[in-house]
């Protein structure tokens, strides 16, 4: 595997899920695979889970790990070609990428959407520059439009906790004071559509996800209706994807004070099928979800985060096998 961005990059999902369980039984089974190989993890944005779980995954495989926080100690990087570099950015990504690549065997990238230029973000411009100029396998640690390591961990978690063969899974928008990217909901939708689940999305009008990820998924604008009989509730905020009006891209369409009835609470969970609550974390309590729902025995947020180590180990293993 030379690039990990979309669900198709992993090939057969059932096989990948079986591999995840194999690794969960013995995390160090493939510790020889990464001997004398180095993973470079490049962060343009903050992280807790991705930073720790991906490092742990690399260590499980016997790899060396280098972490670069671009905004904390490195030269500020220009990412767009053609600009006159007379500002605070001292180095261009087009030099930095091959230099970074010379020190490692595989590169993970975290580079969030800027949320101002839809075309730039949805072309995965930064990620694709790494693919083009590094000559090394690249994997996404949340890029402008996707977060596949999270979605894979989410799917592993659903498989582990489902009590019916084809569970009902609901992705629900929830309020947030800031404008957030669509990477998590995009990937969640893409992966759920590839999995054997009954998938429904609910959000206020205007937040329709890009069809590239949502496909033909049923959108139910009435959140209570969407929750009825659900086995899993996956909450997340996202800003306007700008599908019908690119000028609205990255915008918050409603004052969050007016949207607090979308906060996931016992009121909505009561109509589910004893539904399990999921969120990728970090989460703003009593904005996205109430304290009692996230603290309930039906909350999966901690096992879900723990599965990030497993999803990253499978992905790095596949990459190492292709070197
Ligand atoms: N879910 C997730 O990616 O968490 P971090 O942003 O802390 O890495």
């Amino acid at each position: 595997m030379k690039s990990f961005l979309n669900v198709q990059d992993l090939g057969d999902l059932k096989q990948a899920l079986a591999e995840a369980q194999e690794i969960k039984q013995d995390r160090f089974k493939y510790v020889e695979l990464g001997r004398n190989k180095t993973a470079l993890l490049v962060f343009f944005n903050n992280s807790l889970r991705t930073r720790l779980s991906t490092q742990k995954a690399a260590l499980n495989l016997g790899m060396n790990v280098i972490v670069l926080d671009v905004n904390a100690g490195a030269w500020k990087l220009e990412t767009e070609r053609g600009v006159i570099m007379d500002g605070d950015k001292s180095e261009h990504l087009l030099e930095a990428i091959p230099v970074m690549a010379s020190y490692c065997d595989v590169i993970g990238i975290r580079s969030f959407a800027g949320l101002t230029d839809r075309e730039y973000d949805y072309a995965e411009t930064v990620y694709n520059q790494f693919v083009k100029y590094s000559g090394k396998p690249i994997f996404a640690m949340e890029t402008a439009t996707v977060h596949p390591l999270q979605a894979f961990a989410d799917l592993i978690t659903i498989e582990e906790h489902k009590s019916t063969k084809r569970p009902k899974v609901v992705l629900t928008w929830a309020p947030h004071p800031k404008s957030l990217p669509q990477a998590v909901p995009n990937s969640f939708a893409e992966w759920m559509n590839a999995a054997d689940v009954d998938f429904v999305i609910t959000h206020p009008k205007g937040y329709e996800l890009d069809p590239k990820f949502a496909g033909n998924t049923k959108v139910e604008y009435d959140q209570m209706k969407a929750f009825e009989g659900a086995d899993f509730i996956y909450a997340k905020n996202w800003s306007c994807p700008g599908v019908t009006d690119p000028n609205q891209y990255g915008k918050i369409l409603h004052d969050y004070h007016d949207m607090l009835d979308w906060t996931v609470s016992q009121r909505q969970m009561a109509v589910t099928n004893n539904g399990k609550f999921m969120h990728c974390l970090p989460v703003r309590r009593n904005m996205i979800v109430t304290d009692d729902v996230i603290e309930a025995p039906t909350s999966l947020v901690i096992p879900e985060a723990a599965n990030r180590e497993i999803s990253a180990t499978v992905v790095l293993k596949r990459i190492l096998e292709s070197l």
Side-chain angles (χ1 to χ4, degrees):
M1 190 162 59
K2 297 294 183 197
S3 169
F4 178 63
L5 199 63
N6 299 111
V7 66
Q8 303 91 313
D9 297 327
L10 209 51
D12 183 75
L13 261 189
K14 278 200 176 121
Q15 170 63 33
L17 287 165
E19 222 166 293
Q21 288 311 317
E22 180 196 29
I23 282 166
K24 211 158 178 178
Q25 297 306 314
D26 179 3
R27 283 156 210 247
F28 300 102
K29 185 167 183 182
Y30 298 98
V31 70
E32 292 303 319
L33 201 57
R35 183 188 286 277
N36 295 332
K37 296 282 188 284
T38 299
L40 170 62
L41 311 182
V42 181
F43 288 89
F44 288 85
N45 309 93
N46 295 341
S47 167
L48 187 154
R49 277 143 292 273
T50 305
R51 173 188 302 268
L52 297 180
S53 61
T54 314
Q55 285 187 66
K56 178 62 166 63
L59 296 173
N60 290 347
L61 295 162
M63 301 182 81
N64 304 307
V65 191
I66 307 171
V67 178
L68 177 68
D69 284 300
V70 173
N71 297 318
W75 301 110
K76 268 200 167 182
L77 292 176
E78 177 57 63
T79 56
E80 292 193 49
R81 197 172 169 279
V83 297
I84 298 170
M85 289 175 57
D86 57 357
D88 63 342
K89 293 174 178 167
S90 308
E91 179 155 22
H92 203 287
L93 204 56
L94 295 184
E95 284 78 55
I97 290 172
V99 170
M100 289 190 257
S102 72
Y103 306 135
C104 64
D105 301 283
V106 48
I107 305 178
I109 306 296
R110 166 158 287 201
S111 175
F112 289 175
L115 295 177
T116 53
D117 182 341
R118 186 180 202 281
E119 210 175 314
Y120 183 88
D121 287 346
Y122 271 71
E124 285 291 359
T125 310
V126 173
Y127 182 88
N128 283 322
Q129 283 183 330
F130 274 89
V131 171
K132 190 169 175 188
Y133 297 111
S134 71
K136 297 285 159 70
I138 305 295
F139 66 98
M141 300 193 298
E142 186 169 344
T143 60
T145 65
V146 290
H147 196 357
L149 286 173
Q150 180 65 53
F152 186 19
D154 296 334
L155 180 58
I156 293 168
T157 310
I158 288 170
E159 283 294 312
E160 288 173 342
H161 291 269
K162 71 181 186 186
S163 52
T164 55
K165 189 177 173 321
R166 197 164 190 276
K168 178 176 178 182
V169 179
V170 177
L171 168 63
T172 181
W173 181 94
H176 197 282
K178 293 186 171 173
S179 172
L180 297 188
Q182 297 104 43
V184 169
N186 279 346
S187 279
F188 189 72
E190 183 190 41
W191 285 66
M192 287 305 109
N193 279 324
D196 191 14
V197 299
D198 173 16
F199 183 48
V200 177
I201 303 176
T202 182
H203 56 71
K205 284 196 173 148
Y207 289 100
E208 289 74 17
L209 294 172
D210 193 304
K212 178 183 170 194
F213 303 104
N216 296 321
T217 308
K218 177 183 162 83
V219 177
E220 172 55 69
Y221 293 106
D222 181 335
Q223 191 193 33
M224 285 298 280
K225 226 176 189 178
F227 274 47
E228 280 171 13
D231 299 293
F232 294 91
I233 298 298
Y234 195 95
K236 185 73 184 83
N237 172 270
W238 63 92
S239 61
C240 176
V243 172
T244 48
D245 181 2
N247 293 322
Q248 294 285 78
Y249 175 61
K251 299 259 187 325
I252 297 176
L253 302 179
H254 317 90
D255 186 325
Y256 74 85
H257 295 98
D258 301 329
M259 304 306 288
L260 293 175
D261 56 339
W262 280 81
T263 301
V264 177
S265 69
Q266 290 294 359
R267 178 177 64 86
Q268 297 102 321
M269 294 304 285
V271 302
T272 67
N273 180 29
N274 195 27
K276 312 272 193 307
F277 177 80
M278 298 179 74
H279 187 280
C280 61
L281 304 181
V283 69
R284 289 186 183 236
R285 283 175 173 228
N286 304 308
M287 178 67 60
I288 300 283
V289 58
T290 56
D291 289 321
D292 50 357
V293 170
I294 197 169
E295 290 171 6
T298 43
S299 170
L300 296 180
V301 295
I302 305 303
E304 186 184 352
N307 275 333
R308 290 291 306 276
E309 175 189 342
I310 306 302
S311 65
T313 307
V314 173
V315 167
L316 279 173
K317 171 181 173 283
R318 294 282 185 92
I319 291 172
L320 286 169
E321 286 167 343
S322 72
L323 288 179

